[in-house]
Amino acid sequence: MGVALTRSAQWTAASYGAGTLAVTPLNEAIVKEIIMFVESFIYKHPQEAKYVFLEPLEWKTNLDPSAFKSGYVVSATTVKSEEVDKNGQPLLFLSVPQIKIRSFGQLSHLLYIARDTKLKEAQACIEANRNPIAKILGSDYNVMKEDSSILEILDKIAKDDDPESEIKMKIAILLKQLDLHLLNYSLKHISLEICLNPVTIKNDIELLKRFSGKGEQTVLESIEYTSDYEFSNGCRAPPWRQIHGEICYVLVKPHDVETLCITCSTEGVFLNGGKTHDEEEINYERKGAIYKDLFTFLKEKSAKFSENMSKQQTRVNEEQQKEKDQPHEAPKKEEADALRRATTGSGKNLLKNQINLGKNQMTKRLEPSLNWKTTVDSKDRKTLQRDTQEEKHGGKLEKSAPSVSPGRAHKSAEKIEEIVSESSSESEEDEEPPDHRQEANADLPSEYWQIQKLVKYLKGGNQTATVIALCSMKDFNLAQETCQLAIRDVGGLEVLINLLDTDEVKCKIGSLKILKEISHNPQIRRNIVDLGGLPIMVNILDSPHKSLKCLAAETIANVAKFKRARRAVRHHGGITKLVALLDCAQNATEPVQSSLYDERDVEVARCGAQALWSCSKSYANKEAIRKAGGIPLLARLLKTSHENMLIPVVGTLQECASEENYRAAIKAERIIENLVKNLNSENEQLQEHCAMAIYQCAEDEETRDLVRLHGGLKPLASLLNNTDNKKRLAAVTGAIWKCSISKENVTKFREYKAIETLVGLLTDQPEEVLVNVVGALGECCQEYENRVLVRKCGGIQPLVNLLVGINQALLVNVTKAVGACAVESESMMIIDRLDGVRLLWSLLKNPHPDVKASAAWALCPCIQNAKDAGEMVRSFVGGLELVVNLLKSDNKEVLASVCAAITNIAKDQENLAVITDHGVVPLLSKLANTNNDKLRRHLAEAISRCCMWGRNRVAFGEHKAVAPLVRYLKSNDTNVHRATAQALYQLSEDADNCITMHENSAVKLLLDMVGSPDQELQEAAAGCISNIRRLALATEKARYT
Amino acid sequence: MNRKKLQKLTETLTKNCKHFNKFEVKCLINFFYNLVGDVTERQGVVIGLDRNAFRNILHVTFGMTDDMIMDRVFRGFDKDNDGCVSVSEWIVGLSLFLRGTLEEKMKYCFEVFDLNGDGFISKEEMFHMLKNSLLKQPSEEDPDEGIKDLVEITLKKMDHDHDGKLSFSDYEQAVREETLLLEAFGPCLPDPKSQMEFEAQVFKDPNEFNDM
């Protein structure tokens, strides 16, 4: 026992006296074995069980005296066993919490009593008695055991013939056996962990594969098996090598070392002789040391590998932290999901550093998406995080509140609902700022003490002193964080907010003036909300004093930068009051300052708009603003010419334009006109917000026309020339993108030479600009002239270059634009030359369905217009299989686009044969039962094309694709009709299909189609009918002859 | 007082006062005589509000509490220094009190705060005016320390020429920077709330007035 305990058991660092057993599976197993030994001791060796230990085993127990029943004398805090030694001392003595035991019998009893906690008791006992043998038998036995042999023990027995020493010896032997047993046991345990198996190796390689590739950030350039064939036992090594324990061979290409050929075997990982060049044989001989796993091996061999891994070590921690913070976040992204699976899956089998690696790579894989700057994506992402944060908040609040009152419960339910409905445009802030209070007695700046003094006067002064203190406080640099936090840390915030609740106008003004400044600090904002400042400020909005209204509104504008605050404003009726502030323009000629505390109405309205701008970042607030009648008021303010006013007004509108209701109202209130007018303003911020608002609104066709009619396209086009202000450029290009969905607008843009400028913006711009620029070009290139223009300006090359990006929104737009260009054969030649088709094809592997679909659509014109399209398509290794497999997608758009691509691919007989081999027929047939007209159309076209090969016609019939196709004829879409009729015509060449069609009463439907004005449809329908009819005639003939 | 005389008085006072219209002047005159009570007019005796009556009005109507400041306000109203606010002093005083421009009010307030009338507000004067403005904390050794500090703060903020006292130009500059400092050393103007109440009470419906 001693040896096992000292050598194998894993003790924690025992810096303070007695160490504790580390919580490891091994330790647990050892303790369990010891328990088994002790428990059975009393039955197996009743004689020895009575032996009284030399010294008691003593430890702190968690057992309650009440747990002891018969055989014990129990009092409140002590327990004595009735069993006593020669001197009448009890063999078990418990005086809470110390317990002393002096025989194996009592130990067995105790473990029996302890039941569920016996593991704990045993552990405590072992921890407290690091050398049990010495205590049980005496130190000489212990020493002897160190270099023990049975002989010596026997020797000893022979020497003493004391009966007790015989028992002692027996116990010593028993313990020795246990010790040996434990050592063996732990050895088994350890070896279990070390031995590699095919699953472990496979997981490792899968993981590494996932994170290998070109680029500096990946851990490896490539990692490949030498053999694709996997035996049923998971090994890839040939059977005659498996005998040697070898599992598989891997070719690894690290960034900084030559390709390594590695053998993974059950013993470990080592370098082998490598692949011989002439033949496909591997030199199996070991060429280097054995490492315990792939990761250790690679770390040793490639500096870059370990560097890239350790680089992320720091990030891992953050990421893990984040993960912890967001336990509820549903892993939306496929890859994240896959990764998580991968890590948890491998975690079981891998040793520690491997688990770390998995996590490393997880961060790494997520990294590019963190950089996505697309408006939509990054915002979504952040909202997601924020939502969970907010949820956390909600949770906290709920916990602290008594959950008995039903009103509360209702409220919290409402809260959750709101959280869900919060809109997506809140991007700028909200990550909970770290709340670093100033440490006591750290080097505090002199301001801190001065502010502390002033706050004291605020607390203990009358109105006059308060005003003086407030004015003096205002003279500090309140934009500086030290001052802001000093005010809070000396309890100034509470006082300032209390002052708002008094009747003293001057104090309120002074207090608000300070709050307005310090609320620029995110922490202070939260503190203000926590202290209940918002409801008071909302009430001040009703004050008769305009300057107070202004200050309160401005402060609210600052505070309402995060969700909880925005919600508080709304819940206290703030939105209605703020909207009321906007209502001023009636008496444009107002008397000059009638009182000291009055401001101009315009100023009040401006502050109101400012506050609404902040608030309008939440969906529910947008609704509230609209319901409070804010839109007409905003529209009226938009007619003024003060830039100060216009910026918050347009800002609010732009924020709200994300909602359908608003866009309709914006159209109705004729706001577009003024937005266009302000595009011509001098103020860049104003221009930006106007363009942004147009961008949001121009989803609507009528709005796009309005922008043109009010002459908005020209200023937009001319703003393109100023590329310094990226935010504005992004907004302007966004507006141009959306506007160019209308053809008339595109014509105008061409007139203003905007297309040339856009092409110029394809390089050296941030992604948020690129997305819009490419989107705009994609729309423009729907027209022939523009395609030519883009080509002549050299736009094809940069577009194709963008195909290798990672930003998903950008990829969607780029593929669309490239596809649009490919319609023109000269552009197509350039695309082909730049290998654009291959890039498009590889985007079919993109995880995001939108990108896949867009890439597939773009491939259609490419295949149509490329020279030797069939040859080109065949040159993509595995490309056709990839396309066919995409038919397994569950995204309708992807399916439709892939069907369209297949239609084009199938034009080439050879390719058609290949995709037939890849099983295109059953896959297409499986899709037949759909209601989506777009998919129906392209599916029917694809089927009709694929009929052209071998016995595909028959096969479609066998896979039951015919009957659903007949039903397509009932659709309302003529495109579907045409495609379906053609498909049916092709299918009707097979007699069985004709029967199926007839059974599904296709003839009646087809007869109607014959009357269609569409010639192709007519022809196909007629052809199909004729095929069916001919079959019928033949049957009749057969019957009568 | 007969109607004709009242009419004439109203006319002249309206002419001299820029912030009130005729109706308002009439109301104020009426209010004044209500306050003074029915004293028959005799030659040589000035009819008006003496110091106590005036202080009473300041206290009850305008919520002022500081005796010293109230005295100073009385002096501000009582232009001819005869210990009594006459009807014309009343109208002129109230015109500034209720409707004065910032310039007028600054001038007035400075005079109120300049206790000895030497054209400067000295440290001592400030101390005098602020001495009751802080809650006395028994724990502090020097109960006046806070006040002294407050005076220093004020000087630091307002004494632009750093001569240790406030001239009118110092004061004016500070107030223009921060209007809140107009009544820096104690409330000597009506607070907006009581002002509104007062105006609502005095400037009642004209029809009601015509009945008189």
Side-chain angles (χ1 to χ4, degrees):
Chain A
M1 183 143 99
V3 182
L5 281 180
T6 42
R7 297 220 180 128
S8 353
Q10 293 147 321
W11 293 94
T12 55
S15 46
Y16 302 104
T20 52
L21 278 174
V23 187
T24 65
L26 178 60
N27 280 346
E28 203 180 312
I30 290 177
V31 173
K32 271 189 184 148
E33 284 299 308
I34 294 174
I35 289 172
M36 262 166 63
F37 171 77
V38 175
E39 271 185 327
S40 57
F41 199 94
I42 196 166
Y43 312 113
K44 288 186 181 161
H45 317 282
Q47 203 70 44
E48 285 80 359
K50 284 185 192 132
Y51 165 75
V52 180
F53 297 166
L54 232 64
E55 272 177 75
L57 295 178
E58 190 174 340
W59 71 94
K60 273 189 185 145
T61 177
N62 290 322
L63 286 176
D64 200 88
S66 61
F68 295 85
K69 297 275 152 56
S70 61
Y72 295 96
V73 184
V74 183
S75 79
T77 54
T78 59
V79 177
K80 285 181 198 168
S81 64
E82 286 172 7
E83 206 181 350
V84 292
D85 65 6
K86 286 177 280 186
N87 308 328
Q89 290 292 317
L91 291 179
L92 179 145
F93 180 76
L94 168 73
S95 158
V96 176
Q98 286 292 339
I99 190 165
K100 294 181 188 173
I101 292 190
R102 299 213 287 158
S103 80
F104 275 112
Q106 286 300 332
L107 271 177
S108 297
H109 277 301
L110 182 90
L111 287 176
Y112 176 68
I113 290 163
R115 284 163 197 260
D116 296 343
T117 58
K118 63 182 169 194
L119 204 64
K120 263 193 204 156
E121 290 302 324
Q123 192 173 336
C125 174
I126 294 165
E127 281 168 10
N129 304 284
R130 291 291 286 272
N131 199 350
I133 289 135
K135 286 194 172 177
I136 293 170
L137 302 171
S139 52
D140 49 344
Y141 280 87
N142 191 41
V143 172
M144 172 211 86
K145 278 184 78 71
E146 284 299 323
D147 48 356
S148 60
S149 73
I150 302 281
L151 283 174
E152 271 181 34
I153 297 169
L154 286 172
D155 212 357
K156 240 188 163 154
I157 297 171
K159 265 188 244 163
D160 313 70
D161 30 0
D162 181 358
E164 197 188 295
S165 82
E166 197 180 337
I167 290 181
K168 258 185 165 176
M169 273 305 131
K170 266 190 185 165
I171 291 177
I173 292 169
L174 282 171
L175 286 176
K176 167 103 182 138
Q177 276 170 359
L178 172 67
D179 204 9
L180 257 172
H181 173 69
L182 286 180
L183 277 174
N184 277 333
Y185 190 82
S186 54
L187 196 66
K188 232 191 275 168
H189 228 264
I190 292 164
S191 61
L192 246 179
E193 276 186 78
I194 285 178
C195 186
L196 290 178
N197 61 37
V199 184
T200 329
I201 300 267
K202 197 174 170 188
N203 280 332
D204 290 6
I205 293 173
E206 285 300 322
L207 258 169
L208 283 173
K209 231 182 210 171
R210 222 179 273 259
F211 308 115
S212 302
K214 293 237 153 36
E216 281 298 290
Q217 290 302 310
T218 53
V219 286
L220 293 171
E221 247 179 65
S222 70
I223 175 164
E224 291 295 344
Y225 288 114
T226 52
S227 152
D228 283 337
Y229 185 74
E230 187 180 330
F231 289 87
S232 57
N233 59 2
C235 296
R236 284 166 197 259
W240 65 91
R241 297 300 306 178
Q242 283 185 32
I243 302 168
H244 301 282
E246 294 181 4
I247 296 168
C248 61
Y249 312 98
V250 198
L251 286 168
V252 181
K253 174 78 187 78
H255 285 295
D256 46 355
V257 197
E258 285 285 37
T259 308
L260 304 166
C261 192
I262 300 167
T263 301
C264 301
S265 75
T266 45
E267 291 142 349
V269 176
F270 55 85
L271 195 65
N272 58 35
K275 253 188 175 177
T276 42
H277 287 289
D278 36 1
E279 345 154 29
E280 291 289 281
E281 270 293 293
I282 295 169
N283 180 356
Y284 295 115
E285 213 178 303
R286 183 154 71 83
K287 287 274 153 65
I290 299 182
Y291 293 84
K292 70 174 161 142
D293 60 34
L294 205 50
F295 295 96
T296 353
F297 177 86
L298 288 170
K299 270 187 177 168
E300 197 62 38
K301 294 284 175 197
S302 157
K304 192 85 186 165
F305 179 82
S306 55
E307 183 197 11
N308 273 353
M309 284 196 5
S310 56
K311 233 189 241 167
Q312 280 141 33
Q313 192 66 46
T314 41
R315 252 177 271 160
V316 176
N317 297 337
E318 289 166 23
E319 193 72 15
Q320 280 170 330
Q321 195 56 43
K322 257 190 213 159
E323 298 251 313
K324 263 184 229 154
D325 288 348
Q326 316 172 353
H328 309 300
E329 182 178 355
K332 292 254 162 77
K333 305 224 176 315
E334 257 176 69
E335 47 178 354
D337 204 356
L339 276 165
R340 213 156 289 164
R341 251 183 281 129
T343 40
T344 48
S346 60
K348 278 174 210 152
N349 295 321
L350 306 184
L351 290 175
K352 244 185 213 159
N353 57 338
Q354 291 165 319
I355 297 169
N356 276 347
L357 180 90
K359 278 174 184 159
N360 277 344
Q361 287 162 336
M362 188 152 84
T363 29
K364 171 171 198 13
R365 181 66 173 189
L366 285 171
E367 186 190 38
S369 55
L370 283 172
N371 287 339
W372 288 354
K373 283 184 189 146
T374 353
T375 26
V376 198
D377 281 298
S378 63
K379 279 175 182 172
D380 273 348
R381 207 158 218 296
K382 284 193 177 165
T383 346
L384 214 75
Q385 293 179 352
R386 219 163 301 129
D387 276 352
T388 43
Q389 258 175 9
E390 205 66 22
E391 233 155 23
K392 237 172 46 197
H393 262 285
K396 258 187 229 159
L397 286 172
E398 265 189 278
K399 246 178 242 164
S400 60
S403 57
V404 268
S405 107
R408 277 271 181 187
H410 171 71
K411 227 177 176 177
S412 69
E414 194 181 271
K415 210 179 281 166
I416 286 162
E417 198 180 87
E418 268 168 21
I419 288 159
V420 173
S421 72
E422 285 293 354
S423 98
S424 58
S425 62
E426 6 195 356
S427 54
E428 65 270 50
E429 197 209 312
D430 274 19
E431 259 95 282
E432 194 95 30
D435 195 1
H436 44 85
R437 301 239 164 205
Q438 266 161 354
E439 283 181 31
N441 298 330
D443 268 341
L444 292 171
S446 65
E447 288 101 328
Y448 182 88
W449 305 112
Q450 285 164 345
I451 286 173
Q452 188 180 40
K453 202 170 58 186
L454 289 175
V455 169
K456 198 177 80 190
Y457 297 146
L458 281 184
K459 283 180 187 162
N462 69 359
Q463 201 216 108
T464 313
T466 305
V467 170
I468 292 174
L470 286 172
C471 292
S472 169
M473 195 182 278
K474 230 191 73 192
D475 283 347
F476 284 94
N477 182 4
L478 294 178
Q480 199 185 319
E481 198 178 28
T482 24
C483 292
Q484 294 166 343
L485 296 183
I487 292 178
R488 179 191 68 180
D489 293 345
V490 299
L493 275 184
E494 287 88 336
V495 187
L496 289 173
I497 289 172
N498 273 344
L499 283 175
L500 297 182
D501 231 355
T502 61
D503 275 340
E504 289 299 337
V505 181
K506 275 182 287 186
C507 295
K508 285 198 217 178
I509 291 179
S511 164
L512 278 174
K513 277 183 174 170
I514 292 167
L515 286 173
K516 184 181 100 180
E517 294 303 323
I518 59 177
S519 56
H520 285 293
N521 180 316
Q523 296 182 41
I524 302 280
R525 280 176 209 156
R526 285 175 193 275
N527 297 134
I528 291 177
V529 176
D530 292 338
L531 292 169
L534 275 177
I536 304 176
M537 287 192 260
V538 167
N539 281 336
I540 293 178
L541 294 177
D542 280 337
S543 151
H545 305 293
K546 290 178 188 161
S547 59
L548 264 181
K549 285 188 195 182
C550 280
L551 286 167
E554 281 182 296
T555 315
I556 291 176
N558 285 341
V559 175
K561 291 260 164 70
F562 65 107
K563 194 178 297 174
R564 194 153 50 93
R566 285 194 277 266
R567 197 161 53 221
V569 173
R570 181 175 69 251
H571 282 173
H572 292 94
I575 301 290
T576 331
K577 288 176 187 177
L578 288 170
V579 169
L581 295 188
L582 299 181
D583 193 8
C584 75
Q586 275 102 341
N587 44 347
T589 52
E590 46 182 319
V592 265
Q593 265 197 342
S594 54
S595 144
L596 284 177
Y597 309 116
D598 275 356
E599 294 270 0
R600 293 168 55 80
D601 278 338
V602 183
E603 184 62 12
V604 177
R606 185 189 70 80
C607 298
Q610 195 93 39
L612 284 177
W613 187 12
S614 292
C615 291
S616 66
K617 298 205 164 75
S618 299
Y619 168 73
N621 282 349
K622 292 179 193 180
E623 261 318 282
I625 295 173
R626 196 176 60 83
K627 283 193 183 133
I631 305 176
L633 291 171
L634 287 170
R636 201 166 61 199
L637 291 176
L638 200 55
K639 294 190 181 108
T640 59
S641 49
H642 311 284
E643 270 170 17
N644 287 344
M645 172 76 92
L646 287 170
I647 291 174
V649 168
V650 177
T652 313
L653 283 173
Q654 169 237 308
E655 223 31 273
C656 293
S658 61
E659 302 305 311
E660 184 59 47
N661 282 335
Y662 267 91
R663 292 201 285 269
I666 284 172
K667 210 160 56 182
E669 297 280 348
R670 300 158 53 81
I671 286 175
I672 298 292
E673 185 182 343
N674 286 303
L675 288 176
V676 167
K677 195 183 83 194
N678 286 318
L679 276 180
N680 292 315
S681 136
E682 291 290 299
N683 185 307
E684 297 200 353
Q685 207 189 353
L686 185 54
Q687 290 170 340
E688 177 197 330
H689 291 306
C690 285
M692 200 65 197
I694 292 175
Y695 168 55
Q696 302 257 28
C697 294
E699 292 281 356
D700 172 77
E701 190 179 349
E702 216 177 305
T703 309
R704 293 197 287 267
D705 292 342
L706 281 174
V707 174
R708 183 180 65 251
L709 293 176
H710 292 303
L713 301 180
K714 193 166 190 182
L716 281 176
S718 64
L719 282 175
L720 275 183
N721 294 316
N722 186 336
T723 59
D724 292 338
N725 182 338
K726 296 299 178 197
K727 272 172 86 184
R728 187 185 60 178
L729 188 60
V732 168
T733 48
I736 290 181
W737 171 18
K738 293 299 173 185
C739 285
S740 58
I741 296 173
S742 291
K743 278 198 172 148
E744 294 91 334
N745 291 354
V746 175
T747 319
K748 283 276 176 193
F749 281 134
R750 192 167 60 230
E751 219 172 273
Y752 300 137
K753 308 252 179 260
I755 295 169
E756 290 89 329
T757 325
L758 283 172
V759 170
L761 291 175
L762 281 174
T763 42
D764 299 332
Q765 296 298 333
E767 272 181 355
E768 55 263 41
V769 175
L770 280 177
V771 171
N772 296 338
V773 169
V774 175
L777 285 176
E779 293 300 338
C780 292
C781 287
Q782 302 299 324
E783 278 181 49
Y784 172 74
E785 292 167 63
N786 295 336
R787 287 196 283 271
V788 176
L789 204 54
V790 169
R791 172 167 49 83
K792 286 189 175 153
C793 298
I796 309 275
Q797 169 123 35
L799 277 175
V800 172
N801 287 348
L802 287 175
L803 282 174
V804 294
I806 39 163
N807 181 326
Q808 159 215 329
L810 180 57
L811 282 178
V812 170
N813 285 353
V814 174
T815 43
K816 185 170 180 189
V818 171
C821 290
V823 172
E824 195 223 3
S825 48
E826 260 186 80
S827 304
M828 184 55 220
M829 274 163 61
I830 304 176
I831 295 174
D832 198 11
R833 203 176 60 227
L834 295 170
D835 217 7
V837 186
R838 183 188 299 276
L839 293 172
L840 277 176
W841 209 290
S842 56
L843 284 177
L844 293 177
K845 290 187 224 163
N846 191 289
H848 205 280
D850 287 352
V851 179
K852 275 185 202 162
S854 188
W857 286 123
L859 280 174
C860 297
C862 289
I863 300 172
Q864 263 166 20
N865 293 317
K867 270 188 195 159
D868 286 331
E871 193 51 48
M872 175 186 76
V873 169
R874 275 191 294 283
S875 74
F876 304 136
V877 179
L880 289 173
E881 190 179 3
L882 173 68
V883 170
V884 172
N885 280 331
L886 280 180
L887 288 174
K888 294 171 187 159
S889 162
D890 42 16
N891 181 304
K892 292 275 184 299
E893 188 66 22
V894 172
L895 290 173
S897 63
V898 171
C899 284
I902 286 179
T903 311
N904 284 302
I905 291 169
K907 282 176 188 162
D908 180 276
Q909 286 291 308
E910 229 174 293
N911 289 335
L912 177 54
V914 176
I915 56 174
T916 306
D917 285 348
H918 284 307
V920 77
V921 174
L923 285 170
L924 285 175
S925 305
K926 214 182 257 176
L927 297 175
N929 282 309
T930 177
N931 292 324
N932 182 313
D933 273 341
K934 193 171 186 184
L935 176 53
R936 281 174 163 187
R937 175 187 167 190
H938 294 287
L939 178 61
E941 281 173 359
I943 289 179
S944 122
R945 272 288 164 195
C946 290
C947 279
M948 311 286 195
W949 180 257
R951 56 182 299 281
N952 280 0
R953 282 192 188 84
V954 187
F956 277 121
E958 285 164 3
H959 286 97
K960 307 209 181 335
V962 180
L965 271 178
V966 173
R967 284 199 293 279
Y968 289 9
L969 294 174
K970 291 176 189 160
S971 149
N972 296 322
D973 189 337
T974 19
N975 287 325
V976 176
H977 294 166
R978 191 187 320 118
T980 311
Q982 280 165 340
L984 288 177
Y985 173 57
Q986 287 297 332
L987 289 167
S988 66
E989 304 270 320
D990 175 60
D992 285 333
N993 288 344
C994 284
I995 294 167
T996 320
M997 284 179 218
H998 193 265
E999 279 169 358
N1000 285 281
S1001 45
V1003 178
K1004 171 82 183 53
L1005 293 164
L1006 284 168
L1007 276 175
D1008 293 343
M1009 300 291 158
V1010 175
S1012 151
D1014 186 328
Q1015 281 205 355
E1016 276 179 66
L1017 174 54
Q1018 270 180 20
E1019 227 169 279
C1024 185
I1025 293 173
S1026 100
N1027 279 340
I1028 296 174
R1029 185 63 205 142
R1030 228 174 267 146
L1031 177 70
L1033 278 174
T1035 331
E1036 264 171 53
K1037 217 176 196 174
R1039 194 181 298 161
Y1040 293 115
T1041 49
Chain B
M1 199 185 320
N2 60 36
R3 186 172 281 242
K4 202 180 164 189
K5 216 170 172 188
L6 186 71
Q7 194 82 26
K8 206 183 154 201
L9 183 64
T10 315
E11 296 276 323
T12 42
L13 285 178
T14 311
K15 231 178 261 172
N16 290 337
C17 162
K18 42 186 170 176
H19 298 306
F20 292 132
N21 61 27
K22 198 171 159 192
F23 161 69
E24 285 164 337
V25 170
K26 233 181 211 174
C27 291
L28 287 171
I29 293 172
N30 208 40
F31 187 71
F32 178 78
Y33 282 112
N34 275 349
L35 289 170
V36 173
D38 231 357
V39 189
T40 42
E41 202 175 344
R42 273 173 295 155
Q43 206 63 37
V45 179
V46 191
I47 301 173
L49 298 161
D50 63 6
R51 183 181 294 258
N52 275 338
F54 188 78
R55 274 171 54 157
N56 195 35
I57 295 168
L58 286 181
H59 183 67
V60 174
T61 316
F62 296 115
M64 291 190 187
T65 46
D66 191 331
D67 283 336
M68 185 175 50
I69 297 280
M70 285 197 283
D71 265 350
R72 298 296 303 164
V73 174
F74 176 75
R75 278 170 195 270
F77 271 70
D78 183 16
K79 295 276 186 225
D80 56 7
N81 240 336
D82 63 350
C84 164
V85 174
S86 71
V87 69
S88 65
E89 282 168 345
W90 168 254
I91 300 290
V92 172
L94 277 182
S95 141
L96 181 144
F97 206 59
L98 298 176
R99 304 275 168 92
T101 63
L102 184 62
E103 285 73 21
E104 288 168 335
K105 283 180 175 170
M106 282 195 291
K107 206 155 165 276
Y108 157 82
C109 289
F110 189 80
E111 278 165 17
V112 167
F113 297 142
D114 181 10
L115 299 179
N116 58 8
D118 65 349
F120 292 101
I121 305 174
S122 66
K123 271 191 191 182
E124 291 69 32
E125 283 166 328
M126 286 183 211
F127 183 84
H128 205 57
M129 289 183 282
L130 292 176
K131 69 177 174 223
N132 292 321
S133 70
L134 283 183
L135 213 65
K136 288 276 188 300
Q137 252 130 17
S139 60
E140 279 172 37
E141 306 125 38
D142 182 2
D144 289 340
E145 200 190 292
I147 312 286
K148 280 179 194 157
D149 191 36
L150 210 53
V151 170
E152 287 305 322
I153 291 172
T154 322
L155 264 183
K156 192 180 153 207
K157 175 128 188 76
M158 299 176 80
D159 181 17
H160 291 96
D161 52 14
H162 306 291
D163 58 355
K165 56 189 180 181
L166 292 188
S167 64
F168 181 71
S169 78
D170 283 336
Y171 172 80
E172 189 185 8
Q173 196 181 339
V175 175
R176 286 197 191 280
E177 274 169 22
E178 177 52 82
T179 332
L180 290 178
L181 290 172
L182 183 66
E183 297 170 79
F185 304 104
C188 52
L189 287 167
D191 71 279
K193 203 175 151 212
S194 47
Q195 176 179 354
M196 265 193 303
E197 281 166 7
F198 176 76
E199 292 193 20
Q201 185 199 344
V202 178
F203 306 140
K204 273 188 203 143
D205 190 29
N207 296 325
E208 209 177 314
F209 181 72
N210 284 345
D211 292 342
M212 294 174 68

